[in-house]
Amino acid sequence: MHKYGDKNGCINPDITLIFDVPADVSLNRAKTRGETVECFENLEFLKKARDWHLKVAKYLEKKGRKIIIVNANQTKEEVTKEMLQKVEKAINELNSK
């Protein structure tokens, strides 16, 4: 199901998933896991990383790539349900082409 990029010969995925969550929620989750918080897990870095990923997603969509953004600011069950619904829809769209 992969396609090769025209210019660079790289494999482009048919679908790319981004699990989007606000930076403060992400940081809180990292802290409540009971694990050591990594040096890059600070609010400012996470805000910039989220913004960058969303900008790249918009750019790739304009270039014809299928990007699925899942609202990860929900329960695990809700995130899973949304992801499965969006992936199934995207696969059906790909198969109908």
Side-chain angles (χ1 to χ4, degrees):
M1 288 179 59
H2 295 307
K3 298 175 195 84
Y4 286 94
D6 293 335
K7 295 180 182 176
N8 56 20
C10 294
I11 295 175
N12 293 328
D14 291 319
I15 301 170
T16 300
L17 296 170
I18 296 176
F19 293 87
D20 182 34
V21 65
D24 59 325
V25 173
S26 177
L27 185 59
N28 188 46
R29 288 179 181 175
K31 289 179 179 178
T32 59
R33 282 193 307 250
E35 301 171 4
T36 303
V37 176
E38 299 293 334
C39 61
F40 61 85
E41 292 178 310
N42 65 69
L43 191 57
E44 190 61 32
F45 178 84
L46 293 173
K47 283 181 181 180
K48 288 179 183 178
R50 178 181 185 230
D51 290 343
W52 183 84
H53 280 91
L54 294 174
K55 285 179 186 176
V56 169
K58 285 182 184 179
Y59 171 79
L60 291 173
E61 282 181 319
K62 288 180 184 177
K63 296 291 184 181
R65 299 275 292 277
K66 181 63 180 173
I67 308 294
I68 295 174
I69 298 176
V70 177
N71 176 8
N73 192 18
Q74 309 177 79
T75 66
K76 291 177 189 178
E77 294 78 16
E78 292 168 325
V79 171
T80 301
K81 181 179 178 181
E82 180 180 333
M83 177 202 59
L84 291 172
Q85 289 172 342
K86 288 183 173 183
V87 168
E88 182 177 8
K89 180 181 177 192
I91 289 171
N92 289 336
E93 289 171 359
L94 286 169
N95 287 335
S96 68
K97 289 184 179 181

